[in-house]
Structure formats: C-alpha cells, structure tokens
Amino acid sequence: MQPQRVDILDAVADGASLARKRYPCRPEANHNSARKPGFYFTCWPFYNGAPTAAAVSVPEREAKWQQRWDAARLFEAEPDPGHEKYFVTFPYPYVNGYPHLGHGFTLLRAEMMARYQRMRGRNVLWPFAFHCTGTPIAAAAQRVAEREPGQLRALEQMGITGALAESLAEPQAWFEHFPERFQQDLQSLGLAVDWRRSFITTDQNPAYDAFIRWQFNRLREGDYLRKGSFPVVWCPERETVVGDHDRISGEGETPQEYCLLKFRGDASMLVAATLRPETVFGQTNLWVDGSGTYARARVDGEEWICSQQMPAKLRLQGHEVEELGTIAGRELIGQRFAAPGVDRELMVLPADFCDAAIGSGIVTSVPSDAPDDWQGLADLQDSAALCEQWGLNHKYIKEIEPLAIIDSGEFGTVPAPALCQQMGVRDQHDRTRLEKAKQQLYLHSFQHGTMLDSVGMGCAGLPVDAAREKVCAALIASGDAARYYELTGPARSRWLTDCTVKIVEDQWFLKYDDETWTARTREALGAMTLFPRKARAQFEHVLGWLRDWACAREQGLGTRLPWDEKWVIESLSDSTIYMAYYTVAHHVNSLPAAKLGEELFEALFGDGDPNAVPGINAKQVAEWRAEFEYWYPYDLRVSGKDLIQNHLSFSLFNHTAVFSREKWPRGFAVNGWVLVDGEKMSKSRGNFYTIRQLIDRYGADATRLTLCNSGEGLDDPNWEASFADTAGRKLERWLRFVAANAGSGRDELHPSDDWFAAMLSQAAHDARCACDRMRFRTAMRRLFFELPRHYRWYLRRCGTPRRDLLHDYLSTVTRGLAPIVPHLSEEAWGLLGGDGFASEASYPDGEPAPATLLRGEALVQRTHADIEAILKVARIESPQAITLLVAPDWKWQAVGLAAGLADERGRVDMQPLMKAAMAALPAAARKEAAAFLKRWVMQEIPALGPGWAARYAEQLDEEVVLEQASNFLAATFGCEVAVAPAGDATGGAAGKARQAAPLRPAIFVK
RNA sequence: GCGGACGUGGCGGAACUGGUAGACGCACCGGCUUUAGGUGCCGGCGCCGAGAGGCGUGGGGGUUCGAGUCCCUCCGUCCGCACCA
C-alpha cells in the first residue's frame, strides 16, 4: 500500500541496479551526511543576543509537547455518543523502509485534517497501521539471506548494517524493525495519531488475518468472487510471476491475446496466431520460414506444427503437449491446408519476414489488408526464379489475387496493395516502410473499417472491432481456433531469463466488472465528498473501466483464502475495508486465536449475534460493536492520486459489497507526488530525504510548515529547500513576537481598531473556509504571511495596538497554525495564557469584513499612496504642508446617480445621467457637474471595474476619516496635514480642489 | 495509443461562478538600523521603451462588450493503463 515510486523500493525491493537503470547519469549520494543532529539549532536559541521565548532548543521544545500530549492521552480516541465524530485514514504504508518525504506530504494532509477537525469540536479518530502483504518484503528478506550485494548495499544506505542487517534475512525482522521506526519517526513529527490501534497485516497478526478471512467469506457469500483463468508474465527459470519491478527490461509489457488459427491437413495441422481474426475471409495462402525448422507436437489430442518454442509456451497456457519431433519449413512449402472460417484450401508459401522462432512461426496471408502479405506475394509473383527455387508453380502463384473483405473508407476495399505502391515499398525486406504502412492501416481499419457483404459468419456490415470478437469466438467454439497469449514485447526477468506467458488456472477474481456491483459503487461515489472536486472525473471513469481483479496469489505474505488455502490474498485486496478494523483494533489485536472466529467479526461488523461469540461475553462484544457503529464509516481517506485507479476504487467497491449504505465511505482526498525543488525525488538523483533526516535538520514544525507550503490540489507539490531553510526562523520570530506582546496594548479606542478587527475576522473566516476544503496552504499563507502585513499597517496607524485586538490577533494566528505547527502553537498558547492545549482549542473563525468598514481605511491607504506618488513625481523631498481637499456632497450625489443608472457591467449611459443630474443637483453645481460626470463616466468607471457602483452607494464622511488619520499622515510625511472641504480651498489649493472626487480627495502639497 | 489532470515573471505559486493578471513567499536591487554581519524595518521588482505608450498567462484559431478562466487544434509535463506495492 501507498507505493512510492521513488522510495526505498528503488533500492530495497528492486535492487540498486534498477534505480541506476532509470537515471543512469546521476551519481549515488550518501545522505547520511545531511544528518548532523543539532547543527542547525546551534544558532536558534538566540537572535540578536536576545533569548527566544522558549529559551530551549527546538528539539527539546518539540519533545516536551509530544510527551505532554502523550501523558494527557490527548489523541487516544474514545467513542462519545452525542459528540460528533470525525474519522481520518491514510493508506497504511508498505514497511520495507523508513518514512520519507513522499509519505510525509500525504500523511501531513491527513494529520492536518485530523487536528483541524478536533479544533472544530469533533471527536477525532486518526489511526495508523503497517502493510506487510505481498512479495517485496519476502523477496527482500530472501535476497538478504542470499547475501545479494545490491540488497545489502541498499540496507547500508538506510544505515542498516551488522546484526540488524543479518537479522533481516527473516521477514519477521522486517515486521518488527520498520513499523517501530515508522512510529518513532512519525511521533517525532508530532502526529496526532492514536497509536494504540496500530497493527500489521498478514497471518503474522492473527486478529487481522481472521478479519480478512471474514471479509472474504462475506464476499464469497455475496457472490462477489468468481473463479477463472488468468494470463500472467512468467519467468520459466524461477517459475514465478514477474511483475514490472522484477524485470531487467521490458517494463510495461503485458500478455496479449491472440487468436490461434488451425489449418487442417491430412495428418497434422498448422497453427498461426493472429490479432486480426476478422480477416480470415481474405486469406489466400500461408507463410512459413523456408529455412527454419518447426516442431511437431500432439496438443490436446491434435497434431500441430508450430515453432519450436511454442510447445513449452502452450504447456504453460494449460494445454496437454507431447513433442513428436521436428519438420523443416521447406517440407511444408507447396502443401495445402484447409483454412478456418472459409471453405478453401490454402497453399503454404515461403516468406522472409516469417521467422520460425517468433510466435507460432507460421502466418496466415491476407494480401488485401496486410501490407507484408501483399508484398510477400508480389515478390513471388514477380520472380519465376524464386518460385522455381522453392518448387512452386509460378503460373499458379500469379493467379492468386487479394480478396476484398473490408471497406476501409478512403483506403478503399483492397488497401494493402494500394498503400504499398503509394509508399514506394520496394520488396518484403523494406521493413521501415512496411511497418509504417502496417501501423497506419491497422489503426485506420480498426477505427473506421466495415465488413463487406461478401464475408460470412454473419459479419456483413459489422464494424471491424465487432467482427473481430465475433469471428474469434465462433472459430474457438467450432474448434478451428484457440486462445493464445504472447507478450506485447520482450521482457527479461531479474533472473536473466526471457519471460513468457503463463495461464494461471483456478484464479479467484473480485468481480469489479459486474454491472450491478459497479452501479452500487457509482451510487456510493455520488454521495462522497472529494478533495479536490476535480478528481471526480477520474473516479467515475475508473469505476467503469475496472475489470475483474485477480485477488489471490500463490506466493508472498498475507492471509490465506479460508476455503482454498493454497491461495494468499493479494495486497490490494486485503486493504479495502480494513479501516473498519481500526475501530476495534486495540480490543481485538491481543485476543488469542481461539476467540477470533467468524462469529466475532460477524457480530462486530456484520449481522451476527453478540451472544454467539465463543469465549467473549456478549456485553463486551456489544460494546465493541457500538464503537464500530459510532466511528464508522470513515469520513476521509487521504492518498496520492495514483491510488484512484486501484486502491481507493477497490475500497469503495468492497464497502458496497460488505456494508450497508450508511457505512459507505464519506470522503476521499487525493494529491500529487512530491517533487524536490522541481525534480522527482529518487535515491539515485541524490535528493531523497527520510522524515528522520528532515526532522533532524529542520525540526518537526519547520518540516511540517514546508510540507504544508509545498502544494495543494492534484498538481505535484514541491518541497522547496529554500523555504525549509528559512521556515524555522520565521516560526521562531513569531514565537518571540508572541512572547514580547502577550498581554500588552492600550485600552483606549482608536479609529482604526474596527478596521483591524474586521481584517482579523475576515482572515479567520478565510482560513476556516480554506481548511474545510483541505486547502491548508491557503489557510497558512492567509494567517502567517498576509495577516501580519495588515497588522503592521495597523501598528503604523495607531502606534500601540488595542489590548484585546492584539490578543485576538496572537490567539487567532496561534490557533490557526496549530494543525500545521502544533508544537510551536502549544508554546505560544501557553504564553497567551490559553486553557489546556492549543490542540484542543477552538479553531478561529470569523465573518467576511463588511465593505463599509473597509472603505474608510482603504481611503486612508489610497490617500497615503497618492501622496507618495505626488511627492515622487514632483520630486519633493520634504513637504512643508499637505492639504487634503474632500469632494463636496454634490459630487457624491452625482456619483450616486450614476451608480443608480449603472447596468450589470457597471456601464452608464451619458444622456440619461446628465438629464438626471441637471434635475437633481443644486443649481450652483450644474456647470461643474457636467464636466465632472463626463470625466467620471469616460475615465473613472472603466478603471474602477464592473462592481464599482456598490462602493459608492453610501456616502462616507471623508472629512472625519481623514481628519482622524491626519496625525498618522503628518508623522509619515513629516509635515502638517490638513483636511478641508474642497469648496473652502483658497489660493493655490483652489485650483486643485476641482479634482476632488468621492473617495479620492484632491491633494495640495506646499 | 487510451483515460484523467495541468501549462501564468528569475523561481515557488495567487486570481471564487469569465470582470484592473502576477496576491503571498523566495531570489535580487536600493535605503535605514547594526561594531560588523547571517537578524530586523522601509521601499523597488513581468517584458520592451528615456518617456508617452506598447506587449504580455505554452503555440495557433474561435465565442464574448470583456478570456489565465469557455470552445477547437497543436506542442509539452504529471498520474494511471492492472495483479504490483
């Protein structure tokens, strides 16, 4: 679970060789050098000679709060009926390494949500567990046992040597070491997890094992499982399935289904694999490799002629095979065989593009639609000598003609010859052109082709893709063909052997393809909250696209299928509803095996009777059941976006199968993958960081702040080292600020108090809304970067802040940051005299600031900026006096008229406006009003934007506002600042006065 | 190839339902504090241009009074394409 494509898997599970393969140019770096405990903190306790508030080092402080939370059992969740719950989960990580930056980002999102919801008053359950199911740990342990150098080097890179490394030859040692270290590291990061509920998977944990068995019995009862066969990539050497990670080359190659056509002869039959069975109607001959040697084999009672590699492959694909000997390709040439699907006998001809070692070594020829076939035929028809060489009748060969079977639109009904000519194919050895022609034609006829009326088997008029399936199915049914698999390309296992395809029989599948089940799951999805909302499209697509999932393996660690013990349940299938297990994990984890029967889990999670559970009294079972009922379903599951197409969708499917509607999941949150300074993280790039390294270097809070800052949404988050470098300093500065200001301030009122109160309230409101949408980065920036700027302006305006506002400000930021940097917040909370833990305080909230409240301060800011601009343009260094001339009432009246006439885009027609103005305005102002309104409509409105009218709907007493700010402005510009009505202006100011507009006083500088 | 997401300054990234693009942070440049700094505070900072002004959200086209935002197309990046965690 929780794959990290760049994680330890690179080195541990896959071997260092694979990591090097991906990034061949980068040297390996040893990151233990970054780990110098304490070095970064040596400069921290003192700044400018002043002690920090805490007067302890950051690691000490963080450890202190972690211990206090622990001692207070703050995060140990207990049901509390009547108290609203919130249940957050993170897909348990696969524990073959230490937690790293890649885990950190996603993990922190769950963590921040858990802490946020707690502060919103919810009873939060935030548990954690460890995944051990599958092959990687087993394989890695095996490799340690075999002392494989790559594996040992990988361990060494993690700092694992000596006795510990030796011990990892046993999988059990992995289960013990890594979960423990995971927990330690995450505790050092300050995670608010209820660790009592932790567990590991597989039969190493009997309780979990029993739970998974119960789950699968339920699935089987509900008919969600089926049995079938399944093609897998196979290493014949090791006799094992080979996943992508187990390959040296050929990553991404998968089994591909072919239709294996049978051509009946007197004693034996030729077999030819094709991807285009619908073209059997156009067959004219067969191709073999004249210089090759073929195998004769008895396959399922029939005598087949095929390539020499094929009998072994057929055996792996479930056929009875007895090899009988060989036959030279040359001997086949000129013979005739009855073709499948058509009532014709075809002659075997030689072709150089046909290789006895590829596929069956025999190819059916459809010259109308296959460029290779056409060119092979053309080459023979053009050369009497060639025919003679193979003992063929040239005259007969020349009579072979392509048969039109498919209408390929603009390519015509006999496209291959035309295309070969058009592309200038010289002969059958002109591979580049032929490949190109083939690609082009196959794709085109697959998408646009229609079967002609001349074809049989009820395919006339069908689109090519439909005909393909129909023909293949019919031929198999009549015994004229068989299914056959080949890989899409060559793949080589880590054991240096070419892979092939094996059919696994009796494979168990989860029927994710089932329509009814999918519809139910769609319904579940429809009711879910998704973060971000954009992820829904992908989920919806995946539900339709998922096919039946082979849910059991013959190898690896895990839980055995209860009714078929040769099978081990695979890792994506034992991790779908286990979140329910968390609700009772601390109770059942330690139960003896005898008490872990079906009855227990049926009583806990299903319809079972608590009285029917052997060995546990009914009251106890009922209490546990009540805990499940209280906590379930989970409210949120947070993961990387790559799990949308498997784990998260599987989880949803299995919930709808096992649980009733009210227990279906409520929310998923998905995010991108962490980059490090814009680059993918990987060991081999030398930018791989474990959580431990980051904590040692930056401290938990600075690490968390940097992670929080690295991104939101589906885009890839980006860990910025430069941010991390300064994060600790920023946090310490805040703490010092709190220490220096807690409890201080004035008690008298100041005009700008209301403004700051409104800004504070607005910021709290914004942060709360952002957190509700899991936009913690936005919340953090709002409170930690933007709000302080407003505070600074406030300080400039009033000198000393009002006591209660200052306290609100400190408290708001402290609590608002608590989900992100909890240790620092606890410390600050203490300085502020807060009750209990900051972690349990209420998250700040507020109201959007009323526009009217902001207008006054906006006027001062605007005026301040205008004065600055004027001084700059006029090159005045030290003004003697500044006079602010406030617009007369009639201008407000005039603008109000314009606002009333504005349409929804804010535009105003001049004619009606003038008319209204002339009627309404005082007679004395009319002349100037015309000019003013003209300027207003032509110049101001376009600059103010569409919503301008609202800001002028109500008149502001500018004289009062500016008068109150005059001391501030005077102090700022070092001269006297007077405020006067524009109408009172005399002397030089009188000329300026005319420019005064509402919310834009005229400024006269002397 | 298919499905989904995305592409904005030197960099990370803002911009809610189309409405003055570049918030905020980093880097950088000034100024002031400072014995000196690694700290703090104030100011500047998309591009071209002396200026007025012009140009700017991957390229091209379209819808609209108005497009980073909607539509088409091309280029590029990320995730997934399965039995693997």
Side-chain angles (χ1 to χ4, degrees), chain A residues 84-158:
Chain A
E84 194 187 348
K85 63 89 187 180
Y86 194 88
F87 183 11
V88 194
T89 66
F90 170 83
Y92 42 29
Y94 193 77
V95 281
N96 60 345
Y98 298 137
H100 54 76
L101 187 51
H103 294 108
F105 179 77
T106 308
L107 199 46
L108 190 69
R109 277 163 49 81
E111 155 80 358
M112 291 188 292
M113 195 59 164
R115 283 180 174 273
Y116 169 68
Q117 293 293 347
R118 182 185 313 278
M119 295 179 73
R120 293 289 289 169
R122 309 234 157 80
N123 189 18
V124 172
L125 172 56
W126 166 213
F128 206 89
F130 308 98
H131 205 191
C132 304
T133 307
T135 51
I137 288 178
Q142 175 74 29
R143 269 176 260 137
V144 173
E146 290 167 4
R147 307 199 63 79
E148 189 193 293
Q151 182 66 54
L152 295 178
R153 204 177 331 119
L155 290 177
E156 210 177 306
Q157 268 192 348
M158 286 194 282

Side-chain angles (χ1 to χ4, degrees), chain A residues 672-1006:
Chain A
W673 285 113
V674 174
L675 304 174
V676 176
D677 289 325
E679 283 199 56
K680 279 192 182 188
M681 180 173 77
S682 82
K683 284 214 145 185
S684 38
R685 276 171 197 237
N687 61 358
F688 181 92
Y689 302 108
T690 61
I691 297 287
R692 173 55 57 190
Q693 287 169 336
L694 297 174
I695 296 173
D696 284 346
R697 175 155 187 171
Y698 301 108
D701 280 339
T703 298
R704 292 171 63 121
L705 189 73
T706 309
L707 281 171
C708 175
N709 182 57
S710 56
E712 292 174 330
L714 279 174
D715 292 342
D716 287 341
N718 185 30
W719 169 276
E720 282 181 85
S722 64
F723 187 96
D725 286 339
T726 56
R729 213 163 58 213
K730 289 186 171 83
L731 293 171
E732 289 309 303
R733 195 194 306 163
W734 172 253
L735 193 57
R736 272 181 291 126
F737 179 77
V738 173
N741 289 281
S744 65
R746 68 179 146 78
D747 295 306
E748 317 76 65
L749 302 182
H750 185 278
S752 54
D753 290 346
D754 288 347
W755 171 81
F756 184 63
M759 295 305 280
L760 190 55
S761 187
Q762 168 89 59
H765 174 262
D766 292 350
R768 200 268 300 157
C769 292
C771 290
D772 279 341
R773 299 175 58 200
M774 286 193 81
R775 303 184 68 107
F776 297 107
R777 173 195 159 102
T778 299
M780 182 272 282
R781 292 186 157 255
R782 194 79 182 76
L783 294 173
F784 199 53
F785 289 127
E786 290 177 35
L787 191 51
R789 288 176 67 87
H790 297 309
Y791 176 75
R792 254 175 267 147
W793 173 258
Y794 173 58
L795 267 195
R796 287 173 70 182
R797 288 284 278 112
C798 67
T800 309
R802 205 172 74 199
R803 191 184 311 279
D804 58 339
L805 281 179
L806 175 57
H807 180 83
D808 275 0
Y809 169 52
L810 298 177
S811 169
T812 297
V813 176
T814 295
R815 286 177 291 134
L817 291 181
I820 304 164
V821 288
H823 312 85
L824 182 98
S825 293
E826 294 289 3
E827 197 71 30
W829 187 240
L831 294 169
L832 289 169
D835 284 338
F837 291 103
S839 303
E840 291 198 300
S842 68
Y843 197 85
D845 196 5
E847 304 285 327
T852 48
L853 242 178
L854 301 183
R855 280 197 316 173
E857 204 55 31
L859 172 64
V860 176
Q861 287 178 339
R862 176 69 179 269
T863 305
H864 177 263
D866 282 351
I867 296 173
E868 273 189 337
I870 288 170
L871 295 181
K872 197 173 171 185
V873 169
R875 302 227 169 98
I876 300 172
E877 296 260 316
S878 42
Q880 292 177 325
I882 297 171
T883 310
L884 304 175
L885 300 157
V886 176
D889 288 351
W890 69 259
K891 284 193 180 172
W892 275 95
Q893 216 181 326
V895 168
L897 287 171
L901 290 169
D903 64 15
E904 61 209 2
R905 294 177 211 144
R907 292 183 307 190
V908 178
D909 268 348
M910 209 57 177
Q911 295 288 353
L913 174 61
M914 281 301 176
K915 212 175 214 174
M918 291 309 114
L921 296 182
R926 281 183 197 155
K927 197 173 166 195
E928 203 186 331
F932 171 73
L933 279 174
K934 196 173 163 194
R935 199 177 75 215
W936 187 263
V937 171
M938 305 304 289
Q939 288 172 23
E940 296 297 325
I941 291 180
L944 289 168
W948 73 274
R951 275 172 276 161
Y952 293 85
E954 198 185 323
Q955 183 169 353
L956 179 74
D957 194 335
E958 297 178 80
E959 214 175 325
V960 169
V961 170
L962 291 172
E963 191 65 59
Q964 285 168 343
S966 60
N967 284 342
F968 156 67
L969 293 172
T972 305
F973 296 107
C975 70
E976 206 172 299
V977 175
V979 183
D984 295 358
T986 54
K992 285 274 175 201
R994 192 179 295 239
Q995 291 174 9
L999 300 183
R1000 196 102 197 244
I1003 297 164
F1004 178 66
V1005 181
K1006 209 155 53 176

Side-chain angles (χ1 to χ4, degrees), chain A residues 74-347:
Chain A
L74 201 55
F75 307 125
E76 293 186 5
E78 291 298 333
D80 182 5
H83 186 176
E84 194 187 348
K85 63 89 187 180
Y86 194 88
F87 183 11
V88 194
T89 66
F90 170 83
Y92 42 29
Y94 193 77
V95 281
N96 60 345
Y98 298 137
H100 54 76
L101 187 51
H103 294 108
F105 179 77
T106 308
L107 199 46
L108 190 69
R109 277 163 49 81
E111 155 80 358
M112 291 188 292
M113 195 59 164
R115 283 180 174 273
Y116 169 68
Q117 293 293 347
R118 182 185 313 278
M119 295 179 73
R120 293 289 289 169
R122 309 234 157 80
N123 189 18
V124 172
L125 172 56
W126 166 213
F128 206 89
F130 308 98
H131 205 191
C132 304
T133 307
T135 51
I137 288 178
Q142 175 74 29
R143 269 176 260 137
V144 173
E146 290 167 4
R147 307 199 63 79
E148 189 193 293
Q151 182 66 54
L152 295 178
R153 204 177 331 119
L155 290 177
E156 210 177 306
Q157 268 192 348
M158 286 194 282
I160 297 172
T161 53
L164 179 56
E166 300 272 323
S167 74
L168 292 177
E170 288 297 321
Q172 281 79 0
W174 295 67
F175 301 162
E176 283 158 24
H177 179 67
F178 288 103
E180 193 185 319
R181 272 291 302 272
F182 243 88
Q183 182 172 340
Q184 282 170 9
D185 291 356
L186 299 184
Q187 279 174 325
S188 299
L189 193 60
L191 251 57
V193 161
D194 182 354
W195 293 104
R196 294 174 306 160
R197 299 168 188 261
S198 297
F199 58 85
I200 63 169
T201 65
T202 77
D203 52 9
Q204 288 293 303
N205 177 353
Y208 188 82
D209 195 49
F211 168 71
I212 296 299
R213 282 202 304 273
W214 169 79
Q215 177 191 346
F216 272 76
N217 279 325
R218 280 299 293 254
L219 289 172
R220 193 180 183 205
E221 282 162 26
D223 195 25
Y224 293 101
L225 293 171
R226 74 168 173 86
K227 227 174 172 183
S229 62
F230 189 73
V232 296
V233 181
W234 186 258
C235 174
E237 172 69 23
R238 272 273 173 136
E239 302 203 319
T240 182
V241 179
V242 180
D244 263 350
H245 293 295
D246 289 324
R247 297 181 202 170
I248 275 172
S249 63
E251 202 176 325
E253 306 297 351
T254 55
Q256 184 171 32
E257 185 182 310
Y258 288 79
C259 186
L260 191 65
L261 301 171
K262 300 177 185 177
F263 297 83
R264 297 174 195 279
D266 294 336
S268 55
M269 50 178 76
L270 302 186
V271 292
T274 180
L275 287 168
R276 300 195 65 188
E278 78 282 7
T279 62
V280 292
F281 307 113
Q283 296 175 104
T284 57
N285 60 288
L286 284 159
W287 299 114
V288 298
D289 176 357
S291 56
T293 305
Y294 287 82
R296 285 170 46 237
R298 188 170 301 285
V299 180
D300 303 331
E302 298 169 338
E303 190 179 322
W304 288 13
I305 292 173
C306 58
S307 69
Q308 291 181 284
Q309 291 77 12
M310 211 167 162
K313 294 181 182 176
L314 289 168
R315 234 176 247 128
L316 284 173
Q317 294 186 23
H319 297 277
E320 283 281 323
V321 183
E322 182 194 347
E323 288 182 63
L324 301 174
T326 57
I327 182 169
R330 172 177 291 276
E331 283 184 47
L332 297 169
I333 289 168
Q335 291 193 39
R336 288 168 190 267
F337 289 83
V342 286
D343 191 17
R344 285 202 288 276
E345 288 209 329
L346 306 181
M347 184 181 279

Side-chain angles (χ1 to χ4, degrees), chain A residues 412-427:
Chain A
T413 55
V414 188
L419 199 58
C420 283
Q421 190 176 17
Q422 185 191 323
M423 295 181 69
V425 176
R426 292 189 305 271
D427 56 33

